[in-house]
Amino acid sequence: MHCTAETRDDRKGANSNARLFGAVQKSDVRLSPGSAAVEVPSEIGVEPADIVLARYHGLGPMTGTQLDPILRNLGVTTIVGVGVSLNVGMTNLAFDAVNRGYQIVLPRDAVAGVPPDYADAVLANTLNVIATLTTTPDVIRAWGA
């Protein structure tokens, strides 16, 4: 499952109620649907069985997408969250997932935030009380068991 953030070039329907959204609007990078900027990175890739969900508003993938109902229909009870940013998106995913009854696992080596010291602090002081913090090798071992 891949969740992307996209914004129409004319910004119709886009959030404007936080400074973060203003910064996105001022950026030279356009998050236009179908553009390279919103594609899943090639290093990760998209397999034929993968589902890609675009989000046009909000701060996390549970809002503005069909992520929750799709996961429920698949019988998912645990989400392994990877990506950026621990500053906003991953933290938002963790809280939204827990609020909807999911277990959340965050591999420390597969999430990022800026500056790195802040990201470490968020993991140690906030997310550790609602998520299982682990590493990618540990997740792979658990899936193989």
Side-chain angles (χ1 to χ4, degrees):
M1 188 81 54
H2 307 278
C3 297
T4 63
E6 301 181 5
T7 305
R8 290 171 45 120
D9 287 336
D10 62 8
R11 308 259 323 134
K12 282 187 181 176
N15 288 83
S16 60
N17 58 333
R19 288 190 347 226
L20 174 65
F21 302 121
V24 169
Q25 186 173 359
K26 292 176 186 173
S27 172
D28 290 336
V29 176
R30 292 285 157 235
L31 302 177
S32 306
S35 70
V38 301
E39 290 179 2
V40 175
S42 60
E43 297 86 356
I44 296 171
V46 177
E47 298 295 322
D50 291 352
I51 297 171
V52 180
L53 299 172
R55 173 176 42 86
Y56 287 87
H57 62 87
L59 295 171
M62 286 282 185
T63 300
T65 70
Q66 295 299 310
L67 181 59
D68 183 35
I70 290 172
L71 292 175
R72 289 186 189 284
N73 287 344
L74 292 170
V76 171
T77 59
T78 301
I79 296 171
V80 178
V82 301
V84 294
S85 81
L86 287 169
N87 300 66
V88 178
M90 294 305 299
T91 305
N92 190 273
L93 168 64
F95 284 115
D96 284 351
V98 168
N99 285 337
R100 287 172 172 82
Y102 295 96
Q103 298 289 322
I104 183 85
V105 175
L106 297 172
R108 291 175 172 271
D109 56 339
V111 293
V114 291
D117 289 349
Y118 175 77
D120 291 341
V122 168
L123 288 167
N125 299 299
T126 302
L127 295 175
N128 72 326
V129 298
I130 64 160
T132 300
L133 302 182
T134 189
T135 64
T136 300
D138 286 343
V139 170
I140 292 169
R141 270 191 293 282
W143 281 340

